[in-house]
Structure formats: C-alpha cells, structure tokens
Amino acid sequence: MQVTRTLKSKLARGDVVLGVLAIDQVWTDLVELCQRGGLDYLIVCMEHGAADTEKVAEVCATGRRMNFPVLIRPRSNDYATLRLAADLGAVGFLLASVESPAELDVVRDAIYTPPRGRRRPGGMGNRWVSNYLGPTWQREWEDEFLVLPQIETRVGLERRDDIARHPLTTALALGPYDLSAELGVCGQMDHPRLREACLQVKASAEAAGKPGWLIGGDVAGMVRDGWRFLCAGEPSWILVQAFRDRVAAAQRGRGD
C-alpha cells in the first residue's frame, strides 16, 4: 500500500505526522476535509464511536480511492473483531489498552494470511491488493499494515519495552487520559506522574527504533517535547474550539 509507505517514510525522516481520531461524527467527506486540511491520516474509532460497519467501510474505501490513510480503532482486540476490522478496508489499527506482546500475536493472526497468521481475507480489504496470490498479500497488505498499540494501563506501562519491540508494532502509542486515571491523576495532563510515564513510553519507542504516537490538543507543545507522530484529537471537538475562537474574535472586534 503506497499510502502507508508514504506515511512511514515521513516518520523515518523525522517529519511531523499529524492526524485526527473521529469518534462523535464519521462521514465520508471527512476524508477529503482531512486531506485538504493538510493532515496525514484519519483514525475511525469503533471502540467508543457509534458509526456502523457499513459507514466505516465507506470511509475506508474513500481513503483508498484518495490515497489517504484511514485507520481503525477496533471495538476490542480479540481475533474475530480484529479480522472484521481488517475486512472493512483500513490500512492499520490503533489498539486500545494493549498490555502484553501476546495480544499482538493475536493481531498478527488477524491480519496475516497462512502460514504467518490465520486471516481469511474478505470484504473491502480485498481491494487493496492487485491479485490474491500469497506473496501479493504479504507484499501489498501485510507488510504495509500499520499497528499502533496504545499504552493506557499500569500493566501496559510496565511491559512497554516488550510491546515496543514486537515485530508487529509500527509505533508505540500512548492514551494519556486513560493512563492518567490509572495513575490516580485523572485528567491532570500536566501532572508529573503522567508526564514521567509519557517520557517512559517515548523512550521505549525510541529504544526499539520506532516512533512514539501521542494524542492531545497542544500539538505545538508535543512537538517541542520531541513527539513527531501526533493526533490532534476529535474533529468535532476541534470544530467546537474553532467556533469559540471565532466568537471570541468577534467579541474582541466589538471591544467587548
């Protein structure tokens, strides 16, 4: 998949790679809006979002046609759910609350065809390959698939080095809000305990020769802290903030 090769190349160069995580609102034109806005990727959240599989498949197909990366955060990390998510046509997964390398072995089974895995290809995912021969699946799909396991629990934090080193891991991701709750500082994004954990995850990713991925609204601050693979948050929340900024600008214009 050339679309993922381009993204990986940017990460390898140390470029800033920025995307969004769609939870509240998922529609096909969002792909075009992300591309026109200069973003690098879109993640559709099926863990917390309400979009059905047909809508998610349409969004993934739009990304394929536009050569724009669309990933999925699956509802869970079990084999059946992951295989279905792959069938919908995504180019990668953001995996919630990964706590061990063994969980990534399940992911491998769900996205690799035999003999490396157990996947039985189907659905929109079939349209990413030029033919259905084994070597083609491996070259054009399996080896290009993006896997971002999220560290969101104490257990995952303790095993971060092993998760980062797993061959399937493209980037070691961090879920700062859930991790803050686990660490007893829920929502306190600047708390020293959480900041230290973020640095630990970033260091583990770098030690494994892989990028770290982080979600947050202060993208400039994240870049200053050395993060390069970023998620700016949920599009609806970004839109609400843009409305607030326009309202504030209008009030300043009146002298309020």
Side-chain angles (χ1 to χ4, degrees), residues 56-66 70 88-89 124 127-128:
V56 175
E58 290 175 1
V59 171
C60 291
T62 301
R64 177 176 55 82
R65 296 181 190 117
M66 297 183 64
V70 177
L88 296 179
M124 303 298 286
R127 302 189 182 186
W128 279 103

Side-chain angles (χ1 to χ4, degrees), residues 53-97:
T53 54
E54 183 175 359
K55 177 60 66 178
V56 175
E58 290 175 1
V59 171
C60 291
T62 301
R64 177 176 55 82
R65 296 181 190 117
M66 297 183 64
N67 203 34
F68 187 84
V70 177
L71 295 81
I72 288 175
R73 179 157 69 175
R75 290 195 171 93
S76 66
N77 298 337
D78 63 276
Y79 171 78
T81 301
L82 292 171
R83 204 188 82 187
L84 173 59
D87 288 347
L88 296 179
V91 302
F93 291 153
L94 175 67
L95 301 167
S97 299

